[in-house]
Amino acid sequence: MIAVLLPPPLGRPSRLPALADRLDAHGVSAVRPRIEGDELPPHAARYVARASLEISRLAAPGTPVALVAEGDAGPLVGAVGAAQRAAHRPVFGYVLVDALLPRPGVSTRVELAASQSTEGAQAFPAEPGEPPGYRTEHLPAVADWPDAPCGYLLTDPARAHLAHLVRMRGWPVRRARPEEVSEALAGLLRELRGRG
């Protein structure tokens, strides 16, 4: 079982930097692609392309993977999964970590944020240094997502409303403090693998 830990876009640091090392102790091999070059528009398309190349470099062809998307990588996970299917690499599951959910028919991060919060897009303010147009650029559309079992890992209580939306879809949700993340993610991945 290989977990591909997709980092946040724009070179933002992971809030869970040691996760890849800690998953091994729970029987999960993890790789963390280095995704650089998404600082220029179109940000989403560059991220998906770079992630796909990196996954091909890190995982042998035909090896089933789970895509674990942190933060703003969440809305792009369906497109990364579609690229893996096109490369004949099976995706056995998706895990969103404190992330907005991909949603067919919603084309920008602003629209996603507005549709997934009672506070609208204000619940997901722009971060310092965010390039102009990042929140309003069109995201890659993937009509048939999800094509594998999905789950949600909640580490940020401010994202609890997203975990609620996920539960309404029937997806498993795990809550974890930072020191419990590796164990919670490993359990969630095993559950998704069993559903596939």
Side-chain angles (χ1 to χ4, degrees):
M1 174 182 334
I2 295 180
V4 177
L5 306 178
L6 297 170
L10 303 177
R12 291 178 179 147
S14 170
R15 290 185 27 233
L16 309 168
L19 182 58
D21 299 332
R22 293 181 181 152
L23 279 172
D24 195 44
H26 298 283
V28 176
S29 296
V31 295
R32 185 180 295 277
R34 286 190 336 226
I35 302 174
E36 299 165 358
D38 66 336
E39 296 85 10
L40 299 172
H43 308 285
R46 287 179 185 273
Y47 182 95
V48 170
R50 185 66 180 159
S52 300
L53 289 172
E54 279 287 288
I55 294 168
S56 293
R57 182 180 69 82
L58 296 168
T63 303
V65 297
L67 299 179
V68 180
E70 182 182 345
D72 271 1
L76 306 176
V77 74
V80 175
Q84 296 314 297
R85 288 193 311 275
H88 305 289
R89 179 173 289 104
V91 175
F92 71 82
Y94 297 93
V95 176
L96 301 171
V97 182
D98 298 329
L100 290 170
L101 288 63
R103 187 168 160 202
V106 177
S107 60
T108 70
R109 288 179 181 86
V110 168
E111 291 173 1
L112 273 177
S115 71
Q116 295 179 15
S117 173
T118 56
E119 301 166 34
Q122 295 81 9
F124 303 94
E127 295 188 26
E130 196 170 276
Y134 175 73
R135 299 250 169 219
T136 56
E137 77 172 343
H138 287 276
L139 302 174
V142 181
D144 62 347
W145 192 86
D147 57 300
C150 300
Y152 199 90
L153 181 59
L154 179 67
T155 68
D156 181 356
R159 301 286 175 115
H161 62 284
L162 293 169
H164 176 71
L165 292 174
V166 167
R167 273 194 199 93
M168 289 176 22
R169 292 181 179 198
W171 299 355
V173 174
R174 296 279 198 297
R175 290 178 183 259
R177 294 189 307 265
E179 64 273 11
E180 304 167 334
V181 168
S182 55
E183 183 178 357
L185 179 56
L188 188 53
L189 290 170
R190 281 191 291 276
E191 182 177 345
L192 296 179
R193 185 71 189 245
R195 290 182 176 204

